[in-house]
Amino acid sequence: MKNLATKFENLTIQSDFIFKKVMSRKRICIHLLEELLQIKIADISYFEAEKSLEPDYASRGIRLDIIVADDKNTHYNLEMQVNNIKNPNTKNYVLPKRTRYYQALMDIDLLQKGQDYDLLPPTYIIFICVFDFFAKGNYVYTFKKHCLEDLNLELSDEATTMILNTKGTHGNISKDIKSFYDYVNNHIINSDFTRQIDDEISYLKLDSKVRREFMLLEARLLDERREGRAEGRIEGKAEGRVEEKLATAKRLLSMGLTIQDIAKATALSVEQIEEIMTKQA
């Protein structure tokens, strides 16, 4: 519990958990999009945060941090990317095709069965990276589809991918976006915008419900990692996985979480957790 509490206290905007919470505040999310795209947004509506898109049982599901739509029905997916990950088998960086996959699944989710293709709304996939993927020093890398034979000819599918580089050194960005980069990189507060973000994070860390949600999430992720490592083992290892879940349940009980929350986090039955409580009494 102490390690989790310390981890929670040390969370920054680079954490997926905190980033999602901060961007769930309309005023902050709207201002970030307005400053980044130099547009005016009257309002936004949120879709399920960290939504899992799994169009087919055999396909690879993903979790999207923040999905919002503005008053003009433009949809935005905002993601925080801390690590420039390589596929250990191919040695290729995964970011480019990850953006492609995010776009594909987002489109599938937005277009209902039987609807015409031209009803697909404009979309922005925005990755906020704390590394310079292209090593060109740009603050922002914006991608749309253009004809190779005539670069002035654009395929107007209204799909845009933006790779933000918080380590950038040149380009045209607003003062508030630059201050946001400074805050992401080094926790420097040098604008009213980053002061609002920092205040929001401070409020979140004082919220017992947010703390409990984080601990539940960490417990769930721990179980997922354990189950992932257990894949491919012989059948006899199944009991070990159950024991790991029981151990997790015991820790969460000691933190004072409810039986229902622990059941959701561990996938154990209410009866199993009640049995643990009886033994601990």
Side-chain angles (χ1 to χ4, degrees):
M1 181 179 179
K2 184 177 180 180
N3 289 340
L4 274 180
T6 302
K7 184 175 182 179
F8 179 76
E9 290 301 323
N10 291 333
L11 291 178
T12 69
I13 190 69
Q14 291 190 18
S15 156
D16 284 340
F17 180 81
I18 290 294
F19 177 73
K20 179 185 73 172
K21 290 292 183 185
V22 170
M23 289 303 147
S24 293
R25 300 296 185 262
K26 274 191 177 184
R27 71 183 188 282
I28 293 176
C29 190
I30 287 175
H31 190 72
L32 180 67
L33 291 172
E34 286 183 331
E35 290 295 304
L36 178 63
L37 301 173
Q38 291 298 292
I39 60 174
K40 284 294 181 183
I41 297 176
D43 195 15
I44 57 174
S45 57
Y46 285 86
F47 293 80
E48 182 184 353
E50 207 175 65
K51 183 174 182 179
S52 180
L53 301 178
E54 301 178 74
D56 183 79
Y57 176 78
S59 71
R60 181 184 178 92
I62 60 171
R63 290 177 180 175
L64 305 180
D65 282 354
I66 291 291
I67 308 174
V68 300
D70 66 17
D71 49 296
K72 298 180 179 65
N73 198 36
T74 299
H75 285 65
Y76 307 89
N77 170 217
L78 291 164
E79 303 282 332
M80 177 66 71
Q81 298 291 308
V82 175
N83 299 311
N84 191 13
I85 302 170
K86 272 186 178 181
N87 183 320
N89 298 316
T90 65
K91 306 302 181 185
N92 294 327
Y93 289 104
V94 303
L95 182 63
K97 290 188 177 178
R98 187 175 183 181
T99 66
R100 172 180 166 184
Y101 193 67
Y102 277 38
Q103 181 66 61
L105 290 187
M106 195 173 177
D107 284 345
I108 289 172
D109 198 56
L110 289 171
L111 191 65
Q112 301 301 312
K113 186 176 181 180
Q115 285 186 324
D116 293 331
Y117 295 121
D118 63 353
L119 293 178
L120 276 171
T123 61
Y124 283 82
I125 303 293
I126 303 171
F127 278 31
I128 303 168
C129 300
V130 298
F131 51 87
D132 187 353
F133 183 82
F134 301 99
K136 299 290 186 180
N138 289 17
Y139 288 128
V140 181
Y141 301 95
T142 304
F143 297 91
K144 292 189 176 186
K145 295 184 179 71
H146 289 267
C147 176
L148 293 179
E149 289 75 20
D150 183 352
L151 294 179
N152 292 318
L153 184 61
E154 180 184 331
L155 183 65
S156 55
D157 59 358
E158 296 186 303
T160 305
T161 298
M162 301 181 74
I163 310 296
L164 310 190
N165 170 26
T166 65
K167 297 296 198 298
T169 57
H170 57 266
N172 185 22
I173 58 173
S174 73
K175 290 181 179 179
D176 274 358
I177 293 298
K178 181 60 172 67
S179 71
F180 176 71
Y181 282 8
D182 292 338
Y183 185 78
V184 171
N185 291 334
N186 300 307
H187 198 259
I188 296 172
I189 302 168
N190 53 19
S191 70
D192 180 63
F193 182 46
T194 49
R195 170 56 63 191
Q196 288 182 44
I197 293 174
D198 194 65
D199 286 346
E200 186 61 40
I201 293 175
S202 296
Y203 297 147
L204 287 168
K205 290 183 177 180
L206 293 174
D207 191 327
S208 60
K209 290 182 179 180
V210 174
R211 179 187 294 267
R212 185 180 65 143
E213 183 182 344
F214 173 74
M215 291 182 173
L216 282 171
L217 176 63
E218 286 294 297
R220 188 179 298 118
L221 292 175
L222 179 61
D223 276 343
E224 287 178 0
R225 287 193 292 269
R226 284 170 172 168
E227 287 175 3
R229 289 195 296 268
E231 283 181 9
R233 293 179 183 173
I234 60 175
E235 243 178 47
K237 296 293 184 181
E239 288 185 12
R241 291 197 293 271
V242 174
E243 289 300 319
E244 289 173 346
K245 289 184 177 182
L246 291 173
T248 299
K250 289 178 182 178
R251 288 196 299 272
L252 294 178
L253 278 170
S254 69
M255 296 176 192
L257 273 68
T258 67
I259 292 175
Q260 289 73 21
D261 283 339
I262 296 171
K264 290 178 183 178
T266 62
L268 293 172
S269 68
V270 170
E271 290 75 17
Q272 284 174 302
I273 298 168
E274 288 176 341
E275 185 179 347
I276 295 171
M277 290 182 67
T278 301
K279 290 179 179 179
Q280 287 184 337

